[in-house]
Amino acid sequence: MNNRIWMIGAAVLLALAVGIGAFGAHGLQPTLEANGRMDTFETAVKYHFYHALGLLIFAIWKQLQPTVKHLNLSYLLLTIGILIFSGSLYVLSITGITWLGAITPLGGVAFIAGWLNLIRVKA
């Protein structure tokens, strides 16, 4: 995968984390408090942000060492983790659709697999 795409992906996901977090804190606060889901929403934003920062680190790493092996899979797994883990918690927080909580752990597994995959990374 092209390093420029990695940088763009990380930047977009980081910008979304800030935007979604701000929107939740201001625009959605009454809804989230009424649903009792403010903590869930904050967890989604926190994990979204942490892992998007990880993607930025991977993009910088790839820029510095273009021949690094296995980093692509970690990047992909963290991206999937953000979409499934944080995405399902965002929707759950706003809509109250509780069955989404059943898929959230799949995103967590993707996060764990992405980080553990770094064990295989070779420069």
Side-chain angles (χ1 to χ4, degrees), residues 97-112:
I97 300 172
T98 56
W99 66 264
L100 285 168
I103 66 167
T104 304
L106 298 175
V109 169
F111 286 150
I112 293 166

Side-chain angles (χ1 to χ4, degrees), residues 12 24 27 30 32-33 35 51 63 68 72 79 85 105 109 115 118 121:
V12 167
L32 295 172
E33 287 176 351
N35 292 345
H51 291 87
Q63 181 72 32
V68 69
N72 293 358
T79 303
F85 184 89
V109 169
W115 292 115
L118 293 180
V121 171

Side-chain angles (χ1 to χ4, degrees), residues 63-83:
Q63 181 72 32
L64 295 173
Q65 292 182 305
T67 59
V68 69
K69 306 256 189 272
H70 305 296
L71 199 53
N72 293 358
L73 181 57
S74 286
Y75 191 97
L76 178 64
L77 288 167
L78 290 194
T79 303
I80 290 169
I82 291 169
L83 295 173

Side-chain angles (χ1 to χ4, degrees), residues 11-122:
V12 167
L13 285 169
L14 284 163
L16 282 171
V18 174
I20 291 169
F23 184 61
H26 302 291
L28 293 176
Q29 186 175 10
T31 301
L32 295 172
E33 287 176 351
N35 292 345
R37 298 286 186 184
M38 184 60 89
D39 288 344
T40 303
F41 192 85
E42 288 174 354
T43 297
V45 172
K46 194 176 350 179
Y47 277 77
H48 179 161
F49 204 94
Y50 295 157
H51 291 87
L53 281 173
L55 295 178
L56 181 62
I57 291 167
F58 293 171
I60 293 167
W61 185 357
K62 186 79 165 176
Q63 181 72 32
L64 295 173
Q65 292 182 305
T67 59
V68 69
K69 306 256 189 272
H70 305 296
L71 199 53
N72 293 358
L73 181 57
S74 286
Y75 191 97
L76 178 64
L77 288 167
L78 290 194
T79 303
I80 290 169
I82 291 169
L83 295 173
I84 295 173
F85 184 89
S86 295
S88 66
L89 290 181
Y90 289 142
V91 176
L92 168 67
S93 298
I94 296 165
T95 66
I97 300 172
T98 56
W99 66 264
L100 285 168
I103 66 167
T104 304
L106 298 175
V109 169
F111 286 150
I112 293 166
W115 292 115
L116 287 177
N117 184 64
L118 293 180
I119 294 167
R120 298 176 352 132
V121 171
K122 297 178 183 88

